[in-house]
Amino acid sequence: DVKVTQSSRYLVKRTGEKVFLECVQDMDHENMFWYRQDPGLGLRLIYFSYDVKMKEKGDIPEGYSVSREKKERFSLILESASTNQTSMYLCASSLGQANSPLHFGNGTRLTVT
Amino acid sequence: GESVGLHLPTLSVQEGDNSIINCAYSNSASDYFIWYKQESGKGPQFIIDIRSNMDKRQGQRVTVLLNKTVKHLSLQIAATQPGDSAVYFCAERTDGNKLVFGAGTILRVKS
């Protein structure tokens, strides 16, 4: 089974802090994604990556950046956390071929106070 | 714009009955659709997918139906069990590997 591991289940940070969310997958998937999930809004794509050192903006990239230095690891960075970034963050990965389903981690619930 | 919506935010069914969860999509160019199940405290779990050149696909106790004419997707769960209680999301692939998700439907199974 594909395993997507997010390093933290819960995080509490203060406004203005720099926050790193880490994600690792063990199936040699080419594609990796970061979503945020908010009640009533579903999952919204923040950033994604097709390959090492490559990144593409999703639908809501403002206030975020990403890093993919190794194929198995995709990091989401909040340069200066704000309260409106309090959310559930979900990492996912998939094979590079078309029509491959995403496999998700269990999420990191971030609270910014 | 592109969007994926759900008709019913909450569905309650009796254990053993069949469940049908509906989803409307707006982008006629979408060519791939997926259903996910999300249990409390967990990430979304892949259930079943279907390509736009098909109108029906069956899995274990689940069937996905695609009606491209009316841009409608449904997930049917046979003999619903308490373990099926979760939030169900449909998603459409509109551009490369990007998925657009609906807001979700809560399925509650009554014993």
Side-chain angles (χ1 to χ4, degrees):
Chain A
D1 282 350
V2 176
K3 190 164 185 183
V4 179
T5 303
Q6 295 183 230
S7 55
S8 303
R9 288 302 305 272
Y10 300 96
L11 277 178
V12 180
K13 298 291 182 181
R14 293 189 179 275
T15 301
E17 279 193 80
K18 189 170 186 176
V19 182
F20 292 87
L21 303 183
E22 305 288 348
C23 175
V24 176
Q25 50 93 6
D26 65 358
M27 286 300 293
D28 202 35
H29 282 175
E30 290 81 7
N31 302 331
M32 296 190 74
F33 306 80
W34 275 106
Y35 287 85
R36 64 177 282 176
Q37 183 176 29
D38 300 287
L41 296 177
L43 279 72
R44 293 180 291 167
L45 181 63
I46 305 171
Y47 266 97
F48 59 103
S49 169
Y50 288 141
D51 202 350
V52 175
K53 297 191 185 294
M54 293 183 67
K55 59 184 179 183
E56 297 282 343
K57 291 181 179 179
D59 300 318
I60 51 164
E62 296 78 18
Y64 303 95
S65 62
V66 290
S67 173
R68 190 151 182 218
E69 295 296 318
K70 294 184 178 181
K71 190 175 185 180
E72 67 271 18
R73 186 179 296 271
F74 193 35
S75 303
L76 181 69
I77 303 156
L78 287 66
E79 293 289 341
S80 178
S82 62
T83 54
N84 63 12
Q85 292 179 308
T86 292
S87 186
M88 171 68 81
Y89 290 87
L90 289 163
C91 175
S93 70
S94 73
L95 289 169
Q97 61 224 47
N99 299 336
S100 295
L102 271 62
H103 298 269
F104 285 87
N106 282 328
T108 296
R109 183 164 294 282
L110 172 68
T111 302
V112 182
T113 61
Chain B
E2 301 167 356
S3 65
V4 176
L6 293 171
H7 295 306
L8 300 174
T10 304
L11 176 65
S12 294
V13 298
Q14 195 66 40
E15 181 179 358
D17 288 351
N18 297 335
S19 302
I20 300 175
I21 302 171
N22 296 304
C23 177
Y25 64 94
S26 60
N27 191 332
S28 56
S30 295
D31 61 358
Y32 177 60
F33 304 86
I34 308 177
W35 280 101
Y36 284 92
K37 171 187 181 183
Q38 187 174 23
E39 298 174 273
S40 180
K42 296 184 178 180
Q45 178 185 4
F46 170 80
I47 302 173
I48 192 167
D49 57 1
I50 188 168
R51 298 180 184 179
S52 59
N53 61 354
M54 304 169 68
D55 54 18
K56 181 180 179 179
R57 191 168 187 216
Q58 288 184 293
Q60 187 177 11
R61 280 202 308 119
V62 295
T63 300
V64 55
L65 298 177
L66 175 63
N67 186 331
K68 294 181 287 295
T69 302
V70 295
K71 289 184 284 189
H72 185 266
L73 190 70
S74 68
L75 177 70
Q76 300 179 0
I77 304 173
T80 312
Q81 303 168 358
D84 294 327
S85 293
V87 178
Y88 289 81
F89 297 92
C90 63
E92 62 179 311
R93 179 155 291 159
T94 60
D95 175 22
N97 281 313
K98 292 175 63 176
L99 284 176
V100 176
F101 286 83
T105 292
I106 299 170
L107 176 64
R108 291 201 177 106
V109 182
K110 297 176 287 187
S111 298

